[in-house]
Amino acid sequence: VQLQASGGGLVQAGGSLSLSCVASRSIFSINDMGWYRQAPGKQRESVAVIRSDGSTNYADSVKGRFTISRDNAKNTVYLQMNSLKPEDTAVYYCKMEIWRFGTWVPYWGQGTLVTVSS
């Protein structure tokens, strides 16, 4: 199973970007889906998570600006990012917990770079 993230790029402050992440093959069961980011010189941090029941959690720094959603039929998770700030600049990674081998196994995407210019 591979996760393919896309949608990153360069945008001016105040602009918007939409990220998507799709699993490479049909998955019977996916638990949590999420987006994480890592800025230069910083640790990877959680940005947003959406659970199988649709409930969501957001980092305080993105609340009200970012929206996470999922399409289970397409094995895809999305992140709509509005009102972007220079401090949102980072490599964004998607993660899915997939039921395999009798347990939930975390899979990560390859990362997509988001650059917000001031």
Side-chain angles (χ1 to χ4, degrees):
V1 177
Q2 292 183 327
L3 305 187
Q4 182 67 43
S6 61
L10 173 64
V11 65
Q12 288 187 333
S16 298
L17 280 175
S18 181
L19 307 182
S20 62
C21 174
V22 59
S24 61
R25 63 186 183 97
S26 295
I27 305 296
F28 180 71
S29 187
I30 303 177
N31 195 17
D32 292 358
M33 297 181 177
W35 288 95
Y36 298 73
R37 67 186 181 187
Q38 187 166 18
K42 295 186 176 181
Q43 290 188 333
R44 189 174 299 187
E45 63 174 356
S46 176
V47 175
V49 174
I50 183 166
R51 297 176 180 79
S52 57
D53 64 0
S55 61
T56 57
N57 279 103
Y58 294 92
D60 288 342
S61 59
V62 307
K63 282 181 181 177
R65 301 188 297 121
F66 290 11
T67 301
I68 189 171
S69 61
R70 62 191 284 169
D71 186 333
N72 294 324
K74 295 182 178 179
N75 299 319
T76 302
V77 60
Y78 305 95
L79 186 68
Q80 177 64 41
M81 304 184 293
N82 299 325
S83 303
L84 283 160
K85 304 176 181 180
E87 50 264 43
D88 294 318
T89 295
V91 177
Y92 284 69
Y93 298 89
C94 57
K95 177 186 174 184
M96 296 185 187
E97 292 183 351
I98 298 172
W99 184 258
R100 299 194 76 195
F101 318 118
T103 189
W104 295 108
V105 179
Y107 288 85
W108 291 88
Q110 84 285 4
T112 183
L113 177 62
V114 172
T115 304
V116 184
S117 63
S118 58

